[in-house]
Amino acid sequence: MQRIRLRYTKRGRLRFTSHRDFQRAFERALRRAEVPMAYSAGFTPHPKVSYANAAPTGVGSEAEYLEIGLTEVRDPEKLRLLLDESLPAGLDITDAVEARTSGLAERLQASVWQLRLDGVEPAEAERAVALFLAAETVEVERKTKNGMRAFDARDAVTRLEVMPADALEQGADRPAPVACAILRLVVRHLTPAVRPDDVLSGLRVTADLAPPVPAAVTRLAQGPLHEESGTVTDPLAPDRDAAAVPSGDSPPKAGEASA
């Protein structure tokens, strides 16, 4: 069985699709593209698709990942193009590699998020960020299926900064107003998971920062975290590196890959 790893996006209005909505759209795309899928055994076989750390509904993303199993060998790039043509605009397949290493899910150690705060002056955001980073702990609450849960939103944050207005990246589907602060956030994937809205709650707790409209949130990247620089690298790099290594040589370890 050949395994292919794919990177895909949720852009524009498609950021409001739930993970289940995407699953249905993706399985339809597999059928339209006539992908030779491997199926599970049992009374109700289903295509072998593994999703990794999907973004919440309502959040845009440039870096979602999944893996599929095939019964026949296919060229990853040709497969990517076929699937991309079979999905609606906004759900775009942007990268594909053959899985030659293990542990994709374990490589997704951190995410880079962009938070657009309409109606917030950059200077106000700078003050709030400074107070948040200076705090040892920032306790916030979130409603879960088991009721309200309190946890530390500060511990997972490795970087938080205010970016210049021209740093706005994909996912901005409306013009910027006069007042608009753009935050760049790097968050470790811990348990319990700290989400961008938890960090926004922390900014409200520490600095009384309350944007007048909901923040526009986009995941820009997720993958291995380089602790010294605080950067997030490409989780598919080890597979590309392994494909480039001549037969008999050893590929680099996952932690040695860089984007």
Side-chain angles (χ1 to χ4, degrees):
M1 182 178 73
Q2 184 189 31
R3 294 179 298 128
I4 302 291
R5 289 169 176 165
L6 303 170
R7 173 174 172 165
Y8 67 95
T9 71
K10 289 172 59 179
R11 295 171 175 162
R13 293 182 179 180
L14 273 298
R15 70 185 183 276
F16 295 109
T17 57
S18 68
H19 182 55
R20 182 164 296 192
D21 291 335
F22 175 79
Q23 287 179 303
R24 286 194 289 261
F26 184 68
E27 290 187 11
R28 285 196 297 268
L30 291 171
R31 291 192 292 270
R32 289 194 194 103
E34 298 181 344
V35 177
M37 290 296 298
Y39 280 77
S40 63
F43 291 104
T44 55
H46 57 273
K48 289 193 173 182
V49 183
S50 299
Y51 300 91
N53 196 37
T57 302
V59 169
S61 180
E62 295 295 311
E64 301 297 290
Y65 293 92
L66 60 83
E67 179 178 299
I68 60 176
L70 309 182
T71 57
E72 300 175 14
V73 175
R74 290 289 185 269
D75 176 80
E77 179 58 19
K78 291 180 180 178
L79 180 64
R80 183 193 73 78
L81 291 172
L82 285 171
L83 287 172
D84 191 47
E85 291 172 357
S86 301
L87 284 166
L91 299 178
D92 305 315
I93 310 294
T94 59
D95 201 357
V97 299
E98 183 173 2
R100 294 174 177 266
T101 62
S102 61
L104 174 62
E106 287 72 21
R107 287 179 220 156
L108 303 182
Q109 300 170 352
S111 287
V112 182
W113 298 94
Q114 177 178 275
L115 285 65
R116 172 175 166 159
L117 309 181
D118 290 344
V120 176
E121 295 289 349
E124 183 184 3
E126 290 273 10
R127 179 189 65 84
V129 165
L131 290 171
F132 181 92
L133 294 176
E136 291 187 6
T137 61
V138 179
E139 187 172 284
V140 299
E141 290 187 335
R142 185 205 305 156
K143 188 174 182 180
T144 69
K145 60 182 180 181
N146 297 320
M148 295 298 293
R149 181 171 184 178
F151 56 94
D152 180 14
R154 176 67 184 87
D155 184 48
V157 176
T158 65
R159 178 182 294 183
L160 177 60
E161 56 189 329
V162 180
M163 305 299 291
D166 58 4
L168 194 64
E169 300 196 17
Q170 296 191 49
D173 48 10
R174 61 187 186 275
V178 175
C180 176
I182 303 163
L183 306 186
R184 189 69 52 84
L185 170 68
V186 179
V187 180
R188 286 190 184 89
H189 297 165
L190 303 179
T191 303
V194 173
R195 306 183 308 201
D197 55 320
D198 298 322
V199 175
L200 289 172
S201 295
L203 291 170
R204 184 167 60 250
V205 168
T206 57
D208 198 29
L209 180 70
V213 296
V217 179
T218 303
R219 174 148 56 193
L220 303 180
Q222 63 171 323
L225 176 65
H226 189 275
E227 292 288 349
E228 291 184 3
S229 65
T231 57
V232 174
T233 59
D234 180 10
L236 301 183
D239 297 298
R240 276 189 280 269
D241 292 342
V245 173
S247 179
D249 292 345
S250 297
K253 296 179 181 179
E256 298 172 349
S258 60

